[in-house]
Amino acid sequence: MRILVIGNGAREHALAYSLSQDPSVEEVHVSPGNAGMAAIATLHPAGDAVELASEVQADLVVIGPEIPLVAGVADELRAAGFAVFGPSKQAAQIEGSKAFAKDVMARAGVATAQAQSVPVGATDSDIDAALNNFGPMYVVKDDGLAGGKGVVVTADRAAALAHIKAVHEGGNPVLLETFLDGPEVSLFCLVDGETVVPLLPAQDHKRVGENDEGPNTGGMGAYTPLPWLPEDGVQRIVDEVCRPVAKQMVADGVPFNGLLYAGLAWGKNGPSVVEFNCRFGDPETQAVLELLETPLGGVLNAVARGELKSLPELEWKDGYALTVVLAAEGYPESPKTGEVITGADAGSESKGIRAAGVAEEDGKLVSAGGRVINVIGSGATLEEARDNAYRVMDSVNLPGGHFRRDIALPAVEGRISI
């Protein structure tokens, strides 16, 4: 197969690398990709996806980020006759509109936080009245795409109000939600209509600072599987959340085909949905794919062609995997770019390196975004996976760069429980 991957981050690097290791895959193309992927894929400038898929004669197109999915790029490619891994524009609204997702969950009987929409143009008294319905912990969400950074969770009413105003100024409505307590779980599911196949559960670390302090980011690290999750945890999420939503979307005439990401909080009554995404999550993908034994190309192709039901059971490596994100100075508010990176050259995939915000200048990799490099470690235990990841991370240098040293540490120390 010749496969075209759309996107340019560490998630797409992880996808492209896994695809390049699949014996059934002859060529991997990425658009636009980044300079750190150059050793394992042919890179193409950003452009019209249909034209590029035709140019490379793609047998399969894998769309990584949410923005092209919500914009309907999958529909355009399918209309041109290409097999696509990624949902339609309508189905991608499960991530593109939190109000859409809440409506689907309500009709599917899926547990989630209570919510209230605060539209653009709401008066100060309307906003004040809405805030009175929530708290003492306020959850304020941008009801649109925000790259994982559109949520503020705070006990400070003034901070909640400020985020509402900021989101409204950006032209989006706001969703206020009740706070869901309990540890968070990310579960990716391959979905083809009503057929749902889970991948390994993971946990993301969203806050920029250790001990979960500071603002939300796109993700500073993740690990998989979750030693604290009940033995039937994944099956419960599939049965209580993902399969009901998939069935409801089929009933609504908006079937989902691709990767459905359920972000959940596991409280005293079990899993409740925090959010859905319509694509592989970043950085969880980097860790999850590290443990996938089944060749990825055949898996994604089966979903794209509506043949997931006939796919053999997925096989996984034993042990654990963990990814740590190296971020640029000033991230997430104002990341500094143009700094030379050492210890993470193109072709370093076997060391666990996956590149994100990088570019090439004078033959060297330089920072070109907020999250710059991912390092993946694996091991028989979660502690061993941590040690392996941080040993490599300590050999990578980015002036002013920063990363969290506590990824998965609460799980290793037994501080997470259901």
Side-chain angles (χ1 to χ4, degrees):
M1 286 187 290
R2 288 179 296 276
I3 300 182
L4 170 62
V5 178
I6 305 293
N8 67 342
R11 165 186 51 212
E12 287 75 32
H13 193 169
L15 287 165
Y17 178 62
S18 291
L19 291 168
S20 74
Q21 304 303 296
D22 185 337
S24 72
V25 177
E26 303 167 42
E27 300 173 13
V28 178
H29 300 262
V30 186
S31 173
N34 66 60
M37 307 179 192
I40 54 102
T42 302
L43 306 183
H44 302 266
D48 183 272
V50 173
E51 290 181 6
L52 181 55
S54 300
E55 178 186 323
V56 304
Q57 298 180 307
D59 299 300
L60 173 66
V61 182
V62 178
I63 302 176
E66 63 274 20
I67 291 175
L69 289 168
V70 171
V73 172
D75 303 274
E76 296 170 10
L77 285 159
R78 287 192 179 102
F82 293 100
V84 183
F85 183 86
S88 67
K89 179 177 182 177
Q90 280 186 300
Q93 288 302 300
I94 198 77
E95 177 172 2
S97 167
K98 293 174 180 64
F100 174 93
K102 289 289 185 186
D103 180 59
V104 171
M105 283 187 278
R107 288 180 292 111
V110 170
T112 187
Q114 295 180 345
Q116 180 177 344
S117 181
V118 183
V120 176
T123 65
D124 288 347
S125 60
D126 289 338
I127 294 172
D128 193 55
L131 284 169
N132 288 339
N133 295 328
F134 296 87
M137 189 65 76
Y138 299 96
V139 180
V140 185
K141 294 185 175 183
D142 184 333
D143 190 17
L145 298 178
K149 292 173 280 189
V151 182
V152 164
V153 180
T154 180
D156 184 343
R157 186 180 176 111
L161 178 61
H163 190 58
I164 292 172
K165 297 283 191 181
V167 173
H168 281 172
E169 286 173 6
N172 284 341
V174 163
L175 210 64
L176 292 177
E177 289 189 351
T178 51
F179 177 69
L180 294 176
D181 202 4
E184 292 199 5
V185 181
S186 298
L187 185 67
F188 299 168
C189 288
L190 302 169
V191 177
D192 173 19
E194 294 190 13
T195 304
V196 177
V197 175
L199 306 187
L200 293 180
Q203 187 178 61
D204 182 16
H205 294 251
K206 279 287 188 190
R207 301 282 187 174
V208 72
E210 294 179 11
N211 301 313
D212 292 326
E213 295 179 354
N216 270 340
T217 71
M220 294 299 291
Y223 64 99
T224 186
L226 308 180
W228 46 266
L229 194 67
E231 192 173 333
D232 65 344
V234 168
Q235 195 58 51
R236 279 195 64 182
I237 295 169
V238 171
D239 292 343
E240 298 176 21
V241 175
C242 300
R243 189 169 287 126
V245 164
K247 291 183 71 172
Q248 186 63 53
M249 293 183 75
V250 169
D252 291 344
V254 189
F256 193 97
N257 179 280
L259 195 291
L260 182 66
Y261 166 132
L264 312 112
W266 196 293
K268 61 183 179 180
N269 297 320
S272 292
V273 175
V274 175
E275 65 175 352
F276 281 112
N277 290 336
C278 64
R279 38 71 191 183
F280 278 102
D282 185 347
E284 298 99 323
T285 298
Q286 291 84 295
V288 170
L289 291 185
E290 188 70 9
L291 296 181
L292 180 62
E293 191 80 69
T294 304
L296 183 63
V299 172
L300 302 188
N301 194 47
V303 177
R305 297 184 184 278
E307 300 168 358
L308 179 58
K309 189 177 290 186
S310 61
L311 186 73
E313 186 174 346
L314 298 178
E315 296 181 6
W316 298 93
K317 300 171 187 173
D318 293 332
Y320 295 82
L322 174 141
T323 188
V324 182
V325 174
L326 175 61
E329 180 180 352
Y331 178 78
E333 291 89 355
S334 53
K336 186 177 181 180
T337 60
E339 297 289 350
V340 174
I341 307 157
T342 56
D345 299 327
S348 299
E349 287 83 7
S350 62
K351 289 172 52 180
I353 303 292
R354 306 291 183 266
V358 304
E360 185 178 356
E361 289 183 9
D362 301 323
K364 298 177 180 178
L365 288 186
V366 299
S367 59
R371 293 185 294 169
V372 181
I373 294 289
N374 274 222
V375 174
I376 304 168
S378 59
T381 66
L382 187 52
E383 189 170 15
E384 185 180 331
R386 267 178 50 85
D387 290 345
N388 290 336
Y390 283 111
R391 184 169 56 252
V392 175
M393 181 62 86
D394 285 335
S395 71
V396 178
N397 183 62
L398 171 66
H402 58 96
F403 60 92
R404 287 181 56 166
R405 286 199 173 269
D406 64 345
I407 302 302
L409 187 59
V412 167
E413 295 179 344
R415 291 188 277 122
I416 303 179
S417 61
I418 297 295

